[in-house]
Amino acid sequence: MIVERAYAHVAGHDEGEWPWSVPCVRWLMEEGLRFTAPVTFLVGENGSGKSTLVEALAEGFGLDSWGGSHDWRYATQRGKSVLGERVRFEAATSRGRRMLASRAARKGFFLRAETALDALDREGFAPDAVSHGEGFLAAFRGKFLQPGLYVMDEPEAALSFSSCLELLGHLDQLVKRGGQVICATHSPLLTALPGADIVEVGEHGLRRVAWRDLALVDHWRRYLADPQAYLRHVLD
Ligand SMILES: Nc1ncnc2c1ncn2[C@@H]1O[C@H](COP(=O)(O)OP(=O)(O)OP(=O)(O)O)[C@@H](O)[C@H]1O
Ligand SMILES: [Mg+2]
């Protein structure tokens, strides 16, 4: 692992204003977020604050919030967000301490669905020649190698079932090499990775949940068993 805790100390913020208005951001400021496993999944409803959180964590670690790897920190004109510039980490290991102490030692990648193609283009993955999902897979194969902090926002958006499984294989390899992953997701497949920590983001702030107790897993299980039970509520 690289980091064991993230936190943000902010004084004089307006709680009615984004991002301070988002419950999980207030939780980060009051309690911090502890990482107890090499892979942490953030789950929660649309608008609960997952992207706000993963972007700020990526920025706090020195990754480009537009997406891309540690070497592309200065590739965009985009400054850090008000939250990202205040995020701090506590190291989990001596490797983590080295990375936090020196920008040059910091390794990682931020995969952001909306700008992934642009970021992959900058990384030399020629997205014109490959599909969206193929571009993602090329990045996992070619970039998820060095121990570092890998932050992802809904990677499943571009991936088929079998590609999601392939991604889990890459995450497993990355973790065995000393890497760490923080991933926002709605996927019951990804969150089933053995040993991963699942943190639910919502009105309550942040809390750990077991995979079998996740609402999204329960809904998918029931939907696949009987789609009509759900469809009758939304179709005439
Ligand atoms: N740049 C911004 N300015 C103002 N409000 C924002 C901004 N980005 C997000 N928000 C608001 O912050 C809240 C959390 O949004 P966020 O995108 O983090 O949710 P999310 O959990 O990632 O949702 P989804 O599952 O749909 O991706 C939402 O109410 C959203 O409207
Ligand atoms: Mg999001």
Side-chain angles (χ1 to χ4, degrees):
M1 278 180 62
I2 308 290
V3 292
E4 63 180 10
R5 187 169 175 267
Y7 60 95
H9 289 156
V10 185
H13 57 283
D14 177 353
E15 290 212 349
E17 219 173 85
W18 184 85
W20 324 117
S21 56
V22 183
C24 70
V25 171
R26 290 208 296 277
W27 187 278
L28 186 72
M29 295 191 293
E30 287 158 20
E31 310 280 336
L33 169 56
R34 198 163 279 288
F35 303 103
T36 59
V39 178
T40 303
F41 289 111
L42 298 170
V43 303
E45 281 300 324
N46 292 133
S48 57
K50 302 180 297 298
S51 295
T52 303
L53 197 55
V54 292
E55 270 180 49
L57 294 173
E59 285 179 332
F61 193 73
L63 299 171
D64 187 333
S65 65
W66 202 238
S69 62
H70 50 273
D71 358 27
W72 281 101
R73 256 191 328 264
Y74 304 114
T76 65
Q77 298 300 312
R78 225 167 161 241
K80 281 189 186 179
S81 69
V82 282
L83 177 59
E85 67 181 14
R86 288 174 174 83
V87 168
R88 300 286 180 275
F89 291 95
E90 286 168 11
T93 54
S94 52
R95 175 183 278 145
R97 266 190 294 283
R98 280 197 301 279
M99 287 198 192
L100 292 178
S102 149
R103 277 187 180 167
R106 244 169 268 174
K107 305 285 178 223
F109 198 96
F110 180 31
L111 194 73
R112 190 178 192 268
E114 298 92 324
T115 56
L117 291 183
D118 179 43
L120 293 172
D121 193 17
R122 286 191 274 117
E123 303 278 342
F125 283 100
D128 287 347
V130 297
S131 75
H132 196 185
E134 286 171 329
F136 272 42
L137 289 176
F140 303 144
R141 291 174 191 145
K143 284 280 167 189
F144 284 34
L145 300 172
Q146 293 173 299
L149 187 66
Y150 293 77
V151 183
M152 285 177 271
D153 196 358
E154 296 190 34
E156 74 272 16
L159 301 178
S160 69
F161 187 89
S162 53
S163 296
C164 278
L165 282 179
E166 179 180 327
L167 169 58
L168 287 184
H170 292 301
L171 297 189
D172 184 53
Q173 287 301 309
L174 190 57
V175 161
K176 288 183 174 134
R177 291 191 197 105
Q180 184 167 352
V181 177
I182 302 170
C183 176
T185 184
H186 293 290
S187 168
L189 188 163
L190 294 183
T191 45
L193 182 71
D197 216 1
I198 306 174
V199 174
E200 190 178 43
V201 179
E203 284 301 315
H204 53 269
L206 299 170
R207 69 178 166 221
R208 291 210 147 63
V209 191
W211 182 80
R212 63 183 170 281
D213 297 330
L214 282 177
L216 74 91
V217 170
D218 188 45
H219 284 309
W220 272 113
R221 201 179 268 139
R222 291 195 216 196
Y223 186 84
L224 293 175
D226 179 16
Q228 203 49 37
Y230 282 81
L231 294 175
R232 66 192 167 86
H233 296 292
V234 292
L235 304 180
D236 282 339

